[in-house]
Amino acid sequence: MKEERKHKQQLLPESEKQKKVKKIEPKQEQEQNHLLYQADAISPANKKINRVELRNGDVIDIDAYILENYAEKSTHFFPSFYNLIADLLGVSRDVMKSFVKPAIVPLLKRAFIYGRLPFLVQKRLYEKNPYTGFCTREQFNYQWLTTSADLEVRDFIKDFEDEGEKILANKGNMKAFIAHYSKKFNLSFQLEMFDR
């Protein structure tokens, strides 16, 4: 008997299946549409703002402003940067192949790359992009930079690589590099509390 019912339910024509669908009352439909409209209204993804009027009456083109003031989000640190650090430390370059680099890498970046930016820029950068774990952040610091600051950081990376190559050519190590780089660019970086 149960099987006959199942069989009959499966063989119902499409028109009868449609009749069994519960209809939404007009009031419910109106409430749903109102909620969807509110969600669309507050969703930043659905706001298509190209021009904004400022308080002083000037009009600004958002797309042009972003192109002019914000950096293109491409990587800044290439294998040559990481290989140089490995060579200065006297370790295998394989250490730098994993996505999560040794803890010295973010320390060097902070001290010698971002450390050359003005203090208030650094402070704002680290407020916007705080640590989420040990030497890890949710985003890369360079993703928060304006175009002009981005160009400066790229120059700082080039300086880091150039000075590192000079130290390696003279058979130097990381300690010699840190002392040389800190002195040349007037950065404070303490190697050890007391020399032995």
Side-chain angles (χ1 to χ4, degrees):
M1 184 95 174
K2 287 183 182 179
E3 284 191 33
E4 285 179 26
R5 281 188 207 157
K6 276 187 183 178
H7 186 62
K8 283 183 182 178
Q9 286 176 349
Q10 291 173 352
L11 298 177
L12 284 176
E14 286 296 318
S15 59
E16 286 192 34
K17 283 182 182 177
Q18 289 175 353
K19 289 179 187 175
K20 290 189 175 195
V21 175
K22 184 178 177 184
K23 291 199 175 192
I24 298 175
E25 293 178 21
K27 186 177 180 181
Q28 288 176 323
E29 188 175 357
Q30 190 178 16
E31 287 175 0
Q32 286 178 352
N33 287 338
H34 180 67
L35 288 173
L36 289 172
Y37 174 76
Q38 284 182 327
D40 286 344
I42 63 171
S43 170
N46 290 330
K47 290 188 176 182
K48 303 248 189 283
I49 301 173
N50 292 327
R51 298 168 63 83
V52 173
E53 190 172 328
L54 302 176
R55 286 184 182 170
N56 63 4
D58 292 343
V59 175
I60 186 170
D61 182 0
I62 298 295
D63 293 334
Y65 180 82
I66 289 171
L67 281 174
E68 187 176 307
N69 292 295
Y70 290 91
E72 196 174 310
K73 306 305 180 211
S74 62
T75 189
H76 288 51
F77 299 98
F78 296 99
S80 60
F81 177 83
Y82 298 113
N83 290 339
L84 174 67
I85 294 172
D87 293 346
L88 286 167
L89 290 170
V91 298
S92 170
R93 290 181 172 186
D94 292 339
V95 171
M96 299 295 175
K97 287 187 179 175
S98 66
F99 181 76
V100 179
K101 307 292 188 254
I104 192 167
V105 174
L107 295 174
L108 290 172
K109 285 180 183 179
R110 183 170 181 155
F112 296 141
I113 306 299
Y114 297 107
R116 289 181 59 190
L117 292 169
F119 174 75
L120 291 176
V121 173
Q122 293 178 54
K123 182 180 175 192
R124 182 77 171 146
L125 181 65
Y126 299 133
E127 285 172 358
K128 287 284 192 182
N129 193 26
Y131 282 118
T132 56
F134 179 71
C135 290
T136 58
R137 298 179 189 276
E138 195 170 308
Q139 289 139 349
F140 297 110
N141 283 326
Y142 60 78
Q143 292 178 308
W144 291 91
L145 299 175
T146 62
T147 302
S148 59
D150 181 69
L151 292 173
E152 280 187 76
V153 166
R154 289 177 189 271
D155 288 341
F156 299 158
I157 294 168
K158 186 174 180 346
D159 291 342
F160 184 96
E161 291 177 346
D162 292 345
E163 298 304 318
E165 292 297 333
K166 288 178 189 174
I167 296 297
L168 280 177
N170 292 326
K171 306 283 188 224
N173 59 12
M174 182 59 78
K175 190 172 182 177
F177 169 75
I178 290 172
H180 169 76
Y181 192 88
S182 299
K183 185 176 181 182
K184 180 168 183 168
F185 295 106
N186 199 23
L187 299 169
S188 58
F189 192 87
Q190 190 168 355
L191 288 171
E192 295 180 42
M193 187 62 89
F194 304 104
D195 285 333
R196 294 184 179 136

